[in-house]
Amino acid sequence: MFRATLKSLLARKLRLLLSGLAVVLGVMFVSGAFVLTDTLGRSFDAVFADAYADVDVNVAAKPKVEVSETEGEQVAGPVPASLVDRVKAVPGAADVRGVVAADGARLIGGNGKVVTSFGPPQLGENWLGESDLVSLREGRGPQADDEIVVNAALAKAAGVRVGDRVGVLTLSPKKEFTLVGVFGYSGGRDSVGGANEVAFTTPVAQRLMLGKPDVFSNVTARADGTTPEALRDEVSGALGGAYDVKTGDQLADDASAGLKEGLSFFNKILLGFAAVALLVGTFLILNTFSIIVAQRTRELALMRAIGASGRQVIGSVVLEAVAVGLIASVLGLAAGIGVGALLAYLFGKLAGGLTLAGLGVPPAAVIGAFAVGLLITVVAALLPALRAARIPPIAAMQDVATPDRPLTKVTVGGAVVTTVGAVLLFLGLSGNAGGNTLATILGGVLFAFIGVALLTPVISRPVVSLLGAIFSWSVPGKLGRLNSGRNPRRTAITAAALMVGIALVTGVTVILDSAKGSISALAEDRIKAELVISGASSGPRPASFDAAVLEKTAAIPGVQLVDGEYGDMATVGGERTWVAASSNVAALERIFGAKATAGDISRLAPDQMLLSSDTAKSRNLSVGSTVPVQLSRGEARTYTVSGIYESSQLTNPVVLPPQATADFAIPQPIQGFVQLAPGTSVGAVQPQVERLLADSPEVSVADRAAFIKQQTSQLDTPLRMIQILLALAIVIAVLGIINTLALSVLERTRELGLLRAIGLRRAQTMRMITVEAVVISIFGALLGVVVGTGLGAAVVRALKDEGITDLVLPWGQMVTFLVLAAIIGVVAAVLPAIRAARINVLGAIAHD
C-alpha cells in the first residue's frame, strides 16, 4: 500500500505541488512574521545596549502621565540641576552628568522643509562632548547660544553642511542656528537606531526642549569601584522614592521591550493574513483531493477488492497529504525566511538606517511552519480520504461515474454554522462579548465564511446557470456554462476560495468608506470655519505652529473669529484621557456647533473646565464638580466644571482654559480655525495666512473642503495595505481555479476527445474552458461582494454610536472586483485550455 501511494504521488506530483503552493504562501507569512520580529527584536536590543553603553546608572523623574507609543509622546518630568551634586555625593558615583534629551527637535533642511522621521525620535540634546561612543567628524561642539551640532544621519537627510544657517523647531517657534559640527558613532555609524539628533549648548537645550532653565531630563553616572547594581541601590537610597533609578542594562531592556510590544502587534497582523491565506488554501486542497479521489475511484476500488481495508485507503490519501504538507512547509519556511529578511531590510531603511542584527530563524518559525503546513493539508484531505474509504470493491468492475450526492446535510450544516457566525458577530459588535470582543468578532467572521461556503453548493447551480447564460450565444459558451454547473460542490469550493479574499476586501472597504463619508458629512455640517491651519505629523508628535500666528490672523480684514486648538494626554480625576484647550472658547459653539446641555460653554476662567455630555455622565460629574487634572508637565491642578456640551465626533471630551497649555507636552497650537465675515473671499485671506506661516514649514492653511479631504485621506493608507496583503488570498484563489480546471480537463479526457471527434475545433475547446473559468470566477466574486457588503454593513451599524452613521457602498470598486474576476477567469483558464486543445483525439476516445 505504501509503494502504491508513492507511485500515485509521483504520477500526480505536478497537480499536488500546485495545491501545496497555497500552503507555501500561508506558511511563508507565518514563518516570515516570526523571522521579522526576531531579527528586529535583536536589532533593537543591540541598538539600545549600545546607546546606554556609557551609562551605569540613570536617574529620571517619574512621568506625570503615562503615554503609550500609539497615544503620542511620553514626557518625562524634568529633574532639578541640583540633583547632579546629590548624585556626585554618593560613594562610587563617577562622571556624573546632567543630560537633556527630549523628542521634538525638527531641523529644517536645505530645501526649506522639515526633515521627517517615521518612527525613530527627533532628539534635542545638550552637547556633552566626545566619548568612546560619540566623536566629531567635522567642525567642533557648540559654544554660543546660536550654534548646534547634528548627527551625520540628519546632516545627510537635511542636505546641510558645517557653516550653514539652519532653522530648528522645538517647544518654541522656529529659531535660526549656525551648524558648527557633525558627529557620528563608533563603528562608522551615522546614528543610533535611526534617530535624528540636534545638540545645543546646555542652557539653550534646557530652555527649548524642557521649557525652563536649570533642569535636566535625567542624570547619568558611571560606577567607580563598585557594580552598576550596587551603585543603583546606593543612589536610590540617597534620593528616596521620588525618582526612577535604573542601570543602563535596565534602560536598554525597557526601551527595547516597548518597541517589541509594537512589533508583536505587527506580528499579529501578519499572522492574521497568514490565517486568511491558509483558509483559502484549505478550499483549494479540499477540492484537489476530492477530484483526485473521484478520478481514482476504480483504482481505489481495485485496492479494496484485493484486500485493502478502509483504514489503509484512508492512510494512503492522508499519506499523500502529509507528503504535500511536508514539501509545502519546507518551501514555505524557506520563502518565509527570505520575506522576513526583506521586510526587516525595508523596515531598517524606513527607520532611518537601523543597523540590523544577523538574520536568525527562531524555533517558533520552524515549529509554526511545519505545524501549520501539515495540519492544514491533512485536515483539508481528511474528508476526501473518508470518502475514498467508502468506495465499494464492486466499483472496480463497472464504468464508474461519480454521482452528485444530496446537498441536504451540507445545507443544514451550512445554515447552523452561519447562524453561529451571526450570533458571534452580534455579540462582538454589540459589546456583549465579556472582554473578548476581538476574538468573538474574528470567530464570527470565520464561522460566517465557513457557513456561506457550505451553503454555496445550494445556490451555485441556479446562479452559475444564470451567469453562464451571458456566454450562451455560441456552442462553446453553452458547453462552458453546463460544465461549470455540472458539479455544484466542486464549483462551490473553487468559488469559495475567491469569495473569501474579495469578501474581506469589500467588507474593509465598506467600513472605511463609511467612516470617511460619515466624517466628511459631519465636518461639512458642523465646522463653520472657511480656513483651517493644520499639518501632517511625522511620528508621535503632531505638527504645531507659533501661537502668535493666531493673533496676526485675527487682525486680517474680513476675519471674524480665530481659534487655536491645543491637545495633550492627561490624567483627569484619576483616569487618563485626551484633553484640549482652545484659544477662543467661543469657537466651541460658533465654529464647531456645540450645544450646551448645562452651564455656560461660551467662556472659561483659568480654574474652570468644560466636559462633553458622555464624559460627564460616565464620571458622574455635573456643573460645579471639582476635578483634579495632571498634565504632562507641571503639578496637578483642580478645576471646576462650568459647562457641559453635547458630545459629538468633532468635540473633545475635556476642554481646559488656554492658560493650561503652558503645561501641555506641546505648548503650541496644533490646529487653527479661521471663520470669515459674510462676503469675505477665501482667496483674499488664505495667501495672507500662508505668509504668516512662513516660519512653520510643518503646517499649511487650506479651505474647509481641502482640510476635510486631507483628514479622511488618512484612511486610504491602511485600506491600500489591507488590499495589497489580501491580494495574496486572490492569488491563491487563482491557483485553485487553475488546479480545478486542470484536474477537470484530465477527468474529462474522453469527453473532450468525443467533442473534438464530432467537430469541436481547438479554438472552440479553449473558449469552452475559458467560459467555465470565467463563470466560476464571477460567481466567487459576486458571492464575495455580497458577503463582504453584508459583513461591512453590520460593522458600520454596530459603530453607529462611535460616529460612523452613514453607510457608503463602494459601487465602483464592486464593479471593479467583478471585472477583475472575469480577467482572473481568463488568466486561470490559459494553461488548462491549452492542455484541453492539445488532447489527442484518438487517444482521448480510447482513454479509460
Side-chain angles (χ1 to χ4, degrees):
M1 197 70 186
F2 180 74
R3 288 196 298 271
T5 301
L6 289 180
K7 287 184 178 179
S8 175
L9 270 172
L10 293 175
R12 299 172 176 85
K13 53 183 177 293
L14 183 59
R15 70 193 74 160
L16 290 174
L17 185 61
L18 194 60
S19 303
L21 192 55
V23 180
V24 169
L25 294 173
V27 169
M28 177 185 74
F29 259 120
V30 173
S31 55
F34 287 116
V35 169
L36 171 66
T37 50
D38 176 76
T39 301
L40 292 181
R42 289 184 293 107
S43 300
F44 285 126
D45 285 342
V47 164
F48 290 115
D50 207 1
Y52 295 109
D54 287 343
V55 177
D56 285 339
V57 171
N58 182 82
V59 181
K62 296 177 180 179
K64 304 285 186 180
V65 181
E66 294 288 346
V67 178
S68 70
E69 293 261 345
T70 58
E71 292 174 331
E73 178 187 0
Q74 177 72 71
V75 178
V79 298
S82 59
L83 193 68
V84 174
D85 294 331
R86 293 178 63 188
V87 175
K88 283 181 179 179
V90 175
D95 193 22
V96 178
R97 297 182 176 191
V99 177
V100 176
D103 197 358
R106 292 96 69 208
L107 185 74
I108 300 173
N111 58 1
K113 297 181 179 180
V114 173
V115 179
T116 58
S117 173
F118 296 95
Q122 297 175 291
L123 295 175
E125 308 167 331
N126 61 330
W127 176 249
L128 296 174
E130 297 182 271
S131 65
D132 293 338
L133 180 64
V134 179
S135 61
L136 284 167
R137 294 184 183 176
E138 299 178 55
R140 57 173 176 81
Q143 297 172 357
D145 287 352
D146 66 341
E147 294 179 344
I148 60 170
V149 295
V150 300
N151 65 359
L154 179 55
K156 291 177 181 178
V160 296
R161 296 178 296 180
V162 172
D164 288 350
R165 290 288 289 179
V166 296
V168 181
L169 303 174
T170 57
L171 292 180
S172 299
K174 173 185 172 184
K175 295 190 179 299
E176 294 282 342
F177 296 88
T178 300
L179 180 64
V180 296
V182 175
F183 64 92
Y185 290 88
S186 59
R189 293 168 298 167
D190 293 340
S191 70
V192 172
N196 292 333
E197 296 173 86
V198 179
F200 311 87
T201 61
T202 294
V204 173
Q206 290 170 331
R207 187 174 67 254
L208 297 183
M209 300 310 303
L210 302 180
K212 57 179 69 175
D214 298 324
V215 292
F216 294 105
S217 304
N218 54 290
V219 175
T220 65
R222 298 297 300 269
D224 184 15
T226 185
T227 64
E229 290 75 17
L231 180 58
R232 174 199 59 197
D233 295 340
E234 289 286 340
V235 172
S236 181
L239 300 181
Y243 299 98
D244 279 331
V245 184
K246 297 182 178 180
T247 64
D249 290 341
Q250 286 178 306
L251 288 175
D253 291 342
D254 290 347
S256 183
L259 285 171
K260 286 180 180 179
E261 185 178 349
L263 288 177
S264 68
F265 176 75
F266 186 61
N267 190 46
K268 290 174 183 176
I269 292 177
L270 291 178
L271 291 176
F273 285 108
V276 173
L278 291 169
L279 175 63
V280 176
T282 301
F283 290 117
L284 195 161
I285 296 167
L286 174 62
N287 217 16
T288 299
F289 276 92
S290 296
I291 296 173
I292 289 175
V293 166
Q295 291 174 348
R296 294 174 59 195
T297 298
R298 176 170 289 185
E299 174 191 331
L300 293 171
L302 281 171
M303 289 184 179
R304 294 294 311 278
I306 62 176
S309 65
R311 182 176 297 179
Q312 286 178 308
V313 172
I314 292 175
S316 173
V317 177
V318 171
L319 183 60
E320 289 188 25
V322 169
V324 172
L326 280 174
I327 294 171
S329 297
V330 171
L331 295 177
L333 177 61
I337 293 172
V339 168
L342 176 61
L343 290 176
Y345 171 78
L346 294 175
F347 187 95
K349 289 296 182 183
L350 290 173
L354 173 67
T355 302
L356 295 176
L359 182 67
V361 183
V366 179
I367 295 171
F370 284 97
V372 169
L374 284 173
L375 180 66
I376 293 297
T377 312
V378 171
V379 168
L382 199 55
L383 284 177
L386 293 173
R387 196 176 306 137
R390 290 195 291 265
I391 295 174
I394 194 66
M397 303 176 189
Q398 55 189 357
D399 187 13
V400 178
T402 306
D404 283 344
R405 298 185 307 282
L407 299 175
T408 306
K409 292 182 180 179
V410 174
T411 303
V412 172
V416 171
V417 174
T418 304
T419 302
V420 172
V423 171
L424 290 175
L425 282 171
F426 174 78
L427 293 175
L429 295 173
S430 62
N432 296 315
N436 298 308
T437 301
L438 180 59
T440 304
I441 292 175
L442 292 177
V445 170
L446 179 62
F447 274 93
F449 278 137
I450 295 175
V452 171
L454 291 173
L455 291 173
T456 303
V458 180
I459 62 173
S460 66
R461 184 167 285 169
V463 175
V464 165
S465 179
L466 184 63
L467 291 173
I470 301 172
F471 305 96
S472 295
W473 48 269
S474 65
V475 171
K478 292 178 180 178
L479 292 173
R481 183 192 70 175
L482 293 172
N483 287 334
S484 60
R486 68 197 295 179
N487 193 322
R489 278 187 171 84
R490 184 179 303 174
T491 299
I493 295 173
T494 306
L498 185 60
M499 178 267 291
V500 172
I502 290 183
L504 288 173
V505 173
T506 303
V508 171
T509 304
V510 167
I511 295 168
L512 293 182
D513 280 3
S514 297
K516 290 169 61 176
S518 300
I519 293 170
S520 297
L522 181 64
E524 286 284 357
D525 181 56
R526 300 291 289 272
I527 295 180
K528 305 302 180 184
E530 286 76 16
L531 293 173
V532 182
I533 302 170
S534 66
S537 60
S538 59
R541 181 187 179 92
S544 60
F545 58 95
D546 188 355
V549 170
L550 300 172
E551 297 178 9
K552 295 176 182 177
T553 300
I556 296 175
V559 172
Q560 182 171 275
L561 179 65
V562 176
D563 171 52
E565 290 289 316
Y566 302 73
D568 195 16
M569 184 62 69
T571 303
V572 179
E575 297 181 31
R576 290 188 321 111
T577 189
W578 179 261
V579 300
S582 175
S583 66
N584 192 334
V585 180
L588 197 61
E589 292 178 292
R590 295 172 58 185
I591 290 182
F592 300 108
K595 298 179 181 179
T597 61
D600 184 3
I601 65 170
S602 64
R603 60 179 64 85
L604 268 181
D607 61 346
Q608 293 179 335
M609 67 190 302
L610 303 177
L611 299 178
S612 69
S613 55
D614 287 347
T615 304
K617 182 179 179 181
S618 65
R619 302 191 181 200
N620 196 27
L621 298 173
S622 59
V623 172
S625 298
T626 56
V627 185
V629 177
Q630 175 62 67
L631 296 168
S632 294
R633 307 179 196 274
E635 300 304 320
R637 291 191 58 182
T638 298
Y639 291 88
T640 300
V641 178
S642 62
I644 298 174
Y645 49 88
E646 185 179 353
S647 298
S648 81
Q649 296 302 305
L650 295 181
T651 55
N652 291 288
V654 178
V655 176
L656 298 177
Q659 292 85 351
T661 60
D663 289 334
F664 277 29
I666 302 173
Q668 296 176 4
I670 55 180
Q671 284 184 332
F673 295 86
V674 182
Q675 189 179 75
L676 304 181
T680 303
S681 168
V682 169
V685 177
Q686 185 171 351
Q688 299 182 65
V689 179
E690 286 176 348
R691 287 192 289 272
L692 295 176
L693 294 170
D695 287 340
S696 302
E698 288 181 303
V699 298
S700 59
V701 60
D703 61 43
R704 180 175 56 189
F707 168 73
I708 294 172
K709 184 177 180 180
Q710 179 192 47
Q711 297 302 303
T712 57
S713 66
Q714 295 177 13
L715 295 175
D716 292 336
T717 300
L719 177 60
R720 296 289 176 266
M721 292 177 62
I722 291 171
Q723 288 176 336
I724 291 171
L725 289 171
L726 287 177
L728 174 65
I730 297 175
V731 170
I732 297 174
V734 174
L735 295 177
I737 297 172
I738 294 173
N739 208 23
T740 299
L741 290 176
L743 292 170
S744 182
V745 166
L746 187 63
E747 185 181 48
R748 301 187 334 238
T749 299
R750 187 175 185 182
E751 175 188 319
L752 290 169
L754 287 171
L755 288 172
R756 292 291 312 285
I758 62 175
L760 194 68
R761 296 187 300 274
R762 286 187 174 182
Q764 290 177 311
T765 302
M766 294 178 69
R767 286 206 302 274
M768 177 184 70
I769 300 297
T770 302
V771 167
E772 185 177 351
V774 169
V775 169
I776 293 174
S777 295
I778 293 178
F779 173 53
L782 186 62
L783 198 61
V785 166
V786 172
V787 172
T789 301
L791 290 174
V795 173
V796 170
R797 176 67 182 83
L799 295 175
K800 185 176 181 180
D801 292 339
E802 303 299 323
I804 303 180
T805 55
D806 296 347
L807 176 62
V808 178
L809 299 182
W811 295 107
Q813 291 201 37
M814 291 181 187
V815 173
T816 301
F817 291 151
L818 294 177
V819 173
L820 178 63
I823 296 172
I824 286 173
V826 173
V827 172
V830 171
L831 292 177
I834 291 174
R835 181 169 184 173
R838 288 179 177 175
I839 286 178
N840 181 283
V841 177
L842 294 178
I845 294 173
H847 181 80
D848 188 3

